[in-house]
């Protein structure tokens, strides 16, 4: 027969919006899923599982997008993949740090969540899971240089010895790129070394 409890758990964990509704039940701030948030949640779930998602969300202020994308999406992601790494970026460092604190505190206090945090690294700007994952929060110009990530999109702007180039041009011409030498405390040109390549996907815009 069908294990209904297992099926319900799979459905709940399949997307950030369904997970948020379930995980916030009985808490001080239960999350309400509206139709436009469900649409965003489905796009996120499909894009992350297939890989290569690039998503722009244009929604008026106070319509719930930040609570879904900045709070519940990282929680959902690290519940499904506790060994992965999340970077929370915002135009202001304080905004990114605030959301990093919100996500961390939810993991600390919500008994429905199974991902555990390491006791020795729980700063609001960077904390680690017990399975080797992490979340880093930073604003524009923040300390994300040198941090690991899975891919660079083809439209990413990179500073090279020939001036600014997009990533696809760097891949074709293989110029050296400007990098920071921590030993000499100076900029220097270095060759690009990539550990893997991924195929980019089309852009999804939700308005």
């Amino acid at each position: 027969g069908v294990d209904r409890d297992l099926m319900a758990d799979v459905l709940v964990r399949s997307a950030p919006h369904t997970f948020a509704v379930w995980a916030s039940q009985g808490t001080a701030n239960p999350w309400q899923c509206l139709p436009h948030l469900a649409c965003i949640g489905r796009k996120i779930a499909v894009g992350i599982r297939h890989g290569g998602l690039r998503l722009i969300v244009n929604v008026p202020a106070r319509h719930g997008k930040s609570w879904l994308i900045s709070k519940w999406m990282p929680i959902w992601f690290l519940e499904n993949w506790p060994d992965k790494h999340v970077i929370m970026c915002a135009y202001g460092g304080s905004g990114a740090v605030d959301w990093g604190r919100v996500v961390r505190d939810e993991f600390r206090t919500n008994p429905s969540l199974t991902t555990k945090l390491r006791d020795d690294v729980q700063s609001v700007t960077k904390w680690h899971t017990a399975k080797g994952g992490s979340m880093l929060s930073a604003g524009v110009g923040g300390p994300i240089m040198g941090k690991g990530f899975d891919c660079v999109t083809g439209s990413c702007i990179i500073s090279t010895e020939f001036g600014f180039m997009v990533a696809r041009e760097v891949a074709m011409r293989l110029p050296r790129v400007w990098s920071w030498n921590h030993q000499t405390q100076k900029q220097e040109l270095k060759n690009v070394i990539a550990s893997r390549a991924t195929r980019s996907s089309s852009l999804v815009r939700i308005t």
Side-chain angles (χ1 to χ4, degrees), residues 146-167:
K147 307 301 180 184
F149 54 88
D150 294 317
C151 68
V152 177
T153 61
S155 58
C156 181
I157 303 297
I158 298 176
S159 180
T160 77
E161 59 188 317
F162 304 128
F164 289 105
M165 301 171 63
V166 297

Side-chain angles (χ1 to χ4, degrees), residues 12-199:
V12 160
R13 293 178 177 272
S14 65
H17 61 291
T18 55
F19 179 81
V21 171
W22 170 80
S24 65
Q25 288 179 350
T27 67
N29 298 295
W31 190 76
Q32 181 181 4
C33 184
L34 299 175
H36 66 285
L37 299 175
C39 177
I40 296 170
R42 287 191 294 269
K43 292 291 185 181
I44 291 172
V46 172
I48 286 179
R49 293 183 186 280
H50 289 176
L53 173 68
R54 295 184 295 163
L55 181 67
I56 295 177
V57 178
N58 294 320
V59 178
R62 313 299 297 175
H63 276 62
K65 62 183 180 298
S66 294
W67 284 99
L68 173 62
I69 298 171
S70 299
K71 177 184 178 178
W72 287 110
M73 186 184 76
I75 294 172
W76 166 78
F77 184 84
L78 289 171
E79 275 285 286
N80 281 286
W81 301 280
D83 59 329
K84 300 297 185 183
H85 303 279
V86 176
I87 296 181
M88 169 68 67
C89 290
Y91 64 88
S94 61
V97 170
D98 286 345
W99 285 114
R101 179 185 292 106
V102 167
V103 175
R104 182 203 63 180
D105 290 350
E106 193 71 30
F107 276 114
R108 281 178 167 179
T109 61
N110 191 325
S112 298
L113 304 182
T114 59
T115 295
K116 304 302 180 185
L117 306 186
R118 276 176 49 180
D119 293 331
D120 57 335
V121 188
Q122 291 195 20
S123 165
V124 293
T125 56
K126 186 174 184 181
W127 43 265
H128 292 261
T129 71
K131 294 290 184 67
S134 68
M135 181 167 175
L136 171 68
S137 302
V140 174
I144 64 173
M145 178 183 243
K147 307 301 180 184
F149 54 88
D150 294 317
C151 68
V152 177
T153 61
S155 58
C156 181
I157 303 297
I158 298 176
S159 180
T160 77
E161 59 188 317
F162 304 128
F164 289 105
M165 301 171 63
V166 297
R168 67 174 67 91
E169 293 174 340
V170 172
M172 293 174 61
R173 297 176 60 181
L174 298 178
R176 293 175 299 172
V177 301
W178 282 108
S179 181
W180 183 257
N181 188 319
H182 291 276
Q183 292 182 339
T184 63
Q185 294 296 299
K186 294 181 179 179
Q187 280 190 320
E188 61 183 34
L189 288 165
K190 288 187 175 182
N191 293 322
V192 177
I193 300 176
S195 61
R196 76 198 72 160
T198 60
R199 182 170 296 177

